[in-house]
Amino acid sequence: MSKKRKNRKSKASKKSSASNPVSSVSSSPDKARKTPSAASKNGSSKREAAKRTARDPLAPLFGGVAPSRLNVMLRLTLLLLAFDCWIDLVPHGGRYGVGDFNVAHFGILDVLLPLPTPTLYVGSLLFTGVLAFAMALTPWRPGLIALFATYTLGWAASMLDSYQHHYLVSLVLFSFMFFPLESSRSQRSAETKNVPWAVRLGGLCFAWGSYELIGSSTGLWTPLGALGMSGSFRAGAQGAVFLFGVVSTTMLRENGGETDAPGKTPAKTPAKIRLVSAWAYVSVCVTCAIVYFYTAINKLSPDWRDGHALRRLGRSDAFRQLQESAAEGWAFLPPMDPDAFWSLLAKGAIAVQLASAAGFLLASQQDRFRLRDVSKVGIVALGLPPLSFHLGTEAMGLEIGWFSYYMLVIVVVVFAPRAMIDASVEVLGAPARWFERVAPKENVAGGLALAGSVVCALLIAGVDLPGDVAAGALLALVGGVALWAALKGGDRAKSPALLGVAMLLAGVFAFVSLTETAVRYDYYRFVGGDHRRRGEPEAALAAYVLANRYVVTPWCVVAEGVEPTCFRSEEDAQAAALAIEGATVRRSDRQEKEDEMRRLVEAQRGGGS
Amino acid sequence: MGRQCSDARVSSEPAIAEGQPQGRARTLAKRVFFAFLAFQVLVPMTYYLRDDAYDERFAWRMFSAIRLHQCVTTATEDSGEGFETIPLARVIHNAWIRHLSRNRRDVVESFLERRCDEESVRAVRVINECRGVADEWYEHQVYERTCLDGHVTMPGQLERVTP
């Protein structure tokens, strides 16, 4: 570097430390607020630190992230992982060990774990889900390490699990092991402690509105959908909630000082912004950038560029309508024949993925700088390519598991302005902060941990799936370890209490997810189908009996061109069918298969005797 | 918006973060990050250096044209009376049949080895007839194992036979 450039940089950093309020952040903000004189004494050292930061080539790595962003990314991803394990992965556990055949992703696992069984696989998923849920509520480094290990082993043990995004989730979990972990209370930064209620409400609306928009695009349950809203009315309500969230979190927060409320004079002193050095967060963003980059490279083949591959993938109503509208001509483009349409879309996908890769790298740095409004909008705009890509893949109805959900969560957390994330955390994290304040200590905490773990273990052991008892026993063991930690006492004694509550909630959510959805029905009907194909009617009968016992919504409304909707009771289904022209109600279970297998078994027994 | 406001709220200078690792912790963090980065960059790259176009694991080739190939799988074995078809659905799970049809070599090799363990089986063969996304056909992918000496024949480069 030339001397001239060095001087310029040095001047810039001096100017920065003198005038930039952002850099005046103590390593202990609470302490700094209590003793202003101490804060002024530290001024020169902070200026030195600012200079060092400006010169440091590794600043993008260690430079800092809003604690709320770390908080939300870790917790939401882990919550999603928990439900992914219970709802999406468990139903396929019955294929493990069938025909005594297995091939692991890595040769060493073929030696160490030659034949994973349903008991081992489903049991480990139940355990992993509970662990992920508990770690989402009360992150603990040993727990995050165990989570990375059990989840990765789960998919790596067999090529039966070939979803690429499971590898991606493992990479993200690896980075999570190095996330800075703080309690919900200490994570609150100076500017979020006295947030006005309007902003808190805005944070809630931002979180809710984001979920509504993503959920309705991807077919998930949403509160507004459950209220019976549909069509443009629902879209309008979703947009209103989301926009209210955006406006109230940005406009009110941007209005000056740290405790600005409507009607108050903006404070002269600008807000102190707390940042936490988190290279692991940057690592997650880099991982996403690498994924998008290679995905774009893959699409450079002629088969993709010509649109053949995308045409085969995009056989959904949404894309058919898009193709028809393109044939009529869009406002800025002439009418296109199908070949031109798919080729354009395919090339667009490459551009979107390259833009997404660049966007993740840039957005990972957004908290380090106090950006102008236009730059903030720019960062949000960079999030649109990945957002549109994953909403588009969901519209295609591809069998890609929960990949889009993971990416949508990460995209929203990485690209959203800090003010929105802060406000969402402020309101959604309130219960956790309250519990941290009132949580009992030492022996009581240990007892709570043990009780929570035991209840969780009993709930898991009672779901009637392979491996449930083993998973339950392991969870009870976790409670024992937490009790031991509590008895050791000290400042950490609160953690076991939190862990106990987290385990209890994990057990309840796991139980409901496994018993009140189609998980068990799917698991046993898949097992039954496999036995039937392999000519094992007795085993098939046993599985079909269980499938029919656990069917939750057997009454389905079927109509041409409409996705079937299923209900618990025949009456509800009949009532829903009346609203759809030509709809009929059918029972959707495996009763016929069960009867067929019973006849076969009886015939075999009769023939045998 | 006056100058005062923008001066107070806007700056492109970086802020200082709490908890920056120092000394050995910083060096360790740096090493873990860059090792992890190198791992993530190099692993997908290996796909482009391999001769197995069908094994797209860990290469971030979601929705690739190769992934969309549609192959019809037949498996046969010679038990002394010539090659006879193996009823795959009765032998292995459907999911493994899909892996065979996707030309996953590790799976095919394990399957061939597994069938050779059966009594009196002399040779086993798996054949995939594959069609691409533009309805073009590819050379049959033939995998064969001679049970006596364990010799395995793998298909060569993936080549189109019709445009």
Side-chain angles (χ1 to χ4, degrees):
Chain A
M1 194 185 289
S2 70
K3 206 172 174 182
K4 210 173 178 181
R5 270 177 75 191
K6 269 186 185 174
N7 283 340
R8 245 199 333 260
K9 274 208 162 184
S10 168
K11 275 180 191 170
S13 62
K14 273 180 192 169
K15 194 179 167 188
S16 147
S17 52
S19 66
N20 180 16
V22 180
S23 56
S24 59
V25 179
S26 145
S27 61
S28 171
D30 291 342
K31 201 175 167 185
R33 274 196 307 282
K34 280 175 195 167
T35 56
S37 58
S40 62
K41 275 180 192 172
N42 289 335
S44 59
S45 66
K46 281 174 204 158
R47 276 194 291 275
E48 283 302 314
K51 275 185 202 172
R52 278 201 303 276
T53 302
R55 283 197 299 263
D56 187 358
L58 290 176
L61 196 56
F62 297 113
V65 185
S68 55
R69 213 180 283 282
L70 297 171
N71 199 0
V72 177
M73 177 182 276
L74 183 81
R75 289 167 194 252
L76 281 187
T77 309
L78 295 187
L79 277 182
L80 198 58
L81 178 61
F83 288 103
D84 187 9
C85 287
W86 297 328
I87 295 172
D88 199 46
L89 301 184
V90 165
H92 302 288
R95 57 193 180 180
Y96 283 74
V98 169
D100 295 335
F101 184 77
N102 185 64
V103 184
H105 279 284
F106 308 108
I108 189 164
L109 289 175
D110 278 329
V111 179
L112 296 175
L113 201 63
L115 193 67
T117 58
T119 302
L120 187 69
Y121 181 71
V122 177
S124 76
L125 282 178
L126 296 175
F127 177 79
T128 304
V130 169
L131 192 59
F133 194 99
M135 288 304 108
L137 298 193
T138 173
W140 186 40
R141 207 167 306 283
L144 291 173
I145 294 168
L147 183 60
F148 166 72
T150 55
Y151 179 79
T152 305
L153 189 64
W155 63 257
S158 177
M159 283 201 202
L160 284 172
D161 187 340
S162 281
Y163 279 132
Q164 294 213 29
H165 74 273
H166 289 176
Y167 169 50
L168 171 64
V169 172
S170 279
L171 294 177
V172 170
L173 288 178
F174 179 82
S175 293
F176 281 176
M177 295 194 306
F178 301 97
F179 262 42
L181 303 176
E182 296 175 314
S183 70
S184 297
R185 289 175 76 197
S186 58
Q187 245 167 7
R188 295 176 92 186
S189 53
E191 81 246 42
T192 59
K193 276 191 176 170
N194 299 309
V195 170
W197 274 105
V199 177
R200 288 171 198 237
L201 185 62
L204 183 65
C205 287
F206 170 69
W208 178 21
S210 303
Y211 176 75
E212 280 284 344
L213 291 171
I214 290 171
S216 62
S217 311
T218 53
L220 292 174
W221 177 92
T222 69
L224 289 179
L227 287 173
M229 288 188 185
S230 59
S232 54
F233 187 53
R234 184 182 176 190
Q238 288 172 332
V241 171
F242 180 74
L243 282 178
F244 175 76
V246 171
V247 169
S248 56
T249 49
T250 48
M251 295 297 178
L252 294 175
R253 297 293 302 285
E254 294 301 318
N255 199 21
E258 58 187 79
T259 59
D260 287 350
K264 278 192 175 181
T265 312
K268 293 268 168 78
T269 317
K272 286 177 180 173
I273 290 182
R274 184 170 173 248
L275 294 181
V276 173
S277 177
W279 63 267
Y281 170 83
V282 180
S283 171
V284 172
C285 295
V286 169
T287 297
C288 294
I290 290 171
V291 172
Y292 284 112
F293 175 73
Y294 274 112
T295 313
I297 295 290
N298 147 46
K299 290 181 172 53
L300 294 177
S301 70
D303 275 340
W304 182 273
R305 279 185 284 122
D306 294 344
H308 297 308
L310 190 57
R311 196 173 195 166
R312 182 165 288 183
L313 287 166
R315 286 176 179 164
S316 67
D317 287 343
F319 278 86
R320 204 164 30 247
Q321 284 165 9
L322 202 61
Q323 186 186 329
E324 282 165 10
S325 72
E328 289 167 12
W330 287 331
F332 52 94
L333 286 172
M336 272 182 282
D337 62 46
D339 286 345
F341 167 77
W342 287 108
S343 176
L344 179 73
L345 222 56
K347 284 167 188 155
I350 297 171
V352 159
Q353 285 171 344
L354 288 174
S356 302
F360 265 99
L361 295 179
L362 287 171
S364 70
Q365 302 298 314
Q366 67 165 314
D367 292 336
R368 291 177 55 221
F369 304 93
R370 298 222 71 191
L371 300 172
R372 292 173 190 280
D373 289 344
V374 66
S375 308
K376 286 179 187 169
V377 173
I379 295 282
V380 172
L382 285 172
L384 294 179
L387 198 67
S388 63
F389 176 73
H390 292 292
L391 291 175
T393 53
E394 277 304 301
M396 283 178 170
L398 304 173
E399 286 183 19
I400 50 170
W402 287 25
F403 174 49
S404 301
Y405 302 146
Y406 284 106
M407 292 314 297
L408 288 169
V409 162
I410 292 176
V411 166
V412 170
V413 174
V414 171
F415 289 89
R418 177 182 179 158
M420 292 178 204
I421 301 285
D422 274 351
S424 303
V425 168
E426 183 61 20
V427 65
L428 295 176
R433 289 194 300 275
W434 170 80
F435 187 77
E436 278 176 20
R437 204 169 59 240
V438 303
K441 287 183 180 177
E442 294 170 357
N443 293 355
V444 182
L448 198 58
L450 193 63
S453 301
V454 168
V455 173
C456 174
L458 290 173
L459 286 168
I460 293 292
V463 294
D464 195 12
L465 282 165
D468 51 1
V469 176
L474 203 56
L475 289 166
L477 189 69
V478 171
V481 172
L483 177 64
W484 172 77
L487 291 175
K488 280 183 76 181
D491 290 341
R492 292 184 190 170
K494 268 189 181 176
S495 300
L498 287 173
L499 186 64
V501 172
M503 294 286 275
L504 178 67
L505 287 173
V508 170
F509 276 94
F511 189 79
V512 172
S513 303
L514 294 163
T515 59
E516 294 302 306
T517 63
V519 169
R520 292 188 300 182
Y521 169 64
D522 284 343
Y523 177 87
Y524 286 113
R525 77 183 168 95
F526 292 157
V527 170
D530 180 58
H531 284 302
R532 188 173 56 82
R533 275 189 295 275
R534 290 162 18 87
E536 298 164 351
E538 241 175 285
L541 175 62
Y544 282 134
V545 167
L546 288 172
N548 290 324
R549 182 187 297 167
Y550 294 132
V551 63
V552 178
T553 52
W555 299 101
C556 297
V557 178
V558 184
E560 205 179 308
V562 183
E563 280 279 300
T565 321
C566 299
F567 297 85
R568 285 171 187 265
S569 74
E570 191 176 3
E571 292 75 31
D572 289 346
Q574 294 287 6
L578 289 175
I580 304 169
E581 200 182 322
T584 54
V585 173
R586 283 186 206 156
R587 199 172 158 84
S588 172
D589 58 16
R590 289 295 177 270
Q591 194 56 54
E592 281 180 18
K593 293 274 191 297
E594 182 185 328
D595 296 341
E596 182 192 333
M597 290 302 113
R598 184 164 284 117
R599 282 194 297 274
L600 264 174
V601 169
E602 282 167 3
Q604 278 182 355
R605 282 177 188 161
S609 65
Chain B
M1 277 267 178
R3 182 180 155 70
Q4 183 193 353
C5 188
S6 63
D7 280 351
R9 293 190 294 113
V10 176
S11 162
S12 59
E13 293 299 333
I16 299 171
E18 292 173 23
Q20 293 213 22
Q22 302 295 333
R24 285 178 67 186
R26 190 179 175 89
T27 309
L28 186 67
K30 227 164 45 183
R31 285 181 184 167
V32 172
F33 176 84
F34 285 111
F36 190 43
L37 176 66
F39 172 81
Q40 291 182 77
V41 171
L42 293 175
V43 167
M45 216 178 266
T46 60
Y47 171 82
Y48 300 92
L49 305 173
R50 277 181 265 147
D51 66 342
D52 182 2
Y54 280 105
D55 189 0
E56 299 180 302
R57 291 174 303 148
F58 315 119
W60 306 127
R61 290 177 53 84
M62 283 84 99
F63 318 127
S64 75
I66 292 276
R67 174 71 180 76
L68 296 172
H69 279 195
Q70 291 178 325
C71 304
V72 178
T73 304
T74 44
T76 54
E77 63 189 9
D78 177 11
S79 304
E81 295 166 8
F83 277 90
E84 287 177 0
T85 306
I86 303 169
L88 284 175
R90 284 182 167 263
V91 177
I92 50 173
H93 194 277
N94 245 353
W96 290 119
I97 300 173
R98 281 200 296 275
H99 279 289
L100 291 180
S101 72
R102 283 178 195 162
N103 293 287
R104 287 278 162 81
R105 287 189 181 180
D106 290 340
V107 178
V108 176
E109 277 185 62
S110 290
F111 176 75
L112 296 175
E113 194 180 338
R114 173 72 196 280
R115 292 308 298 175
C116 275
D117 290 343
E118 299 286 318
E119 218 175 300
S120 76
V121 175
R122 294 174 179 182
V124 191
R125 192 183 287 161
V126 170
I127 302 171
N128 280 323
E129 297 168 46
C130 301
R131 200 171 52 157
V133 285
D135 283 338
E136 78 283 17
W137 286 91
Y138 287 84
E139 253 183 17
H140 291 185
Q141 301 288 295
V142 182
Y143 308 82
E144 189 168 342
R145 182 182 175 103
T146 315
C147 297
L148 197 64
D149 58 6
H151 177 73
V152 179
T153 312
M154 286 283 165
Q157 287 282 344
L158 188 63
E159 280 178 26
R160 285 184 188 205
V161 288
T162 62

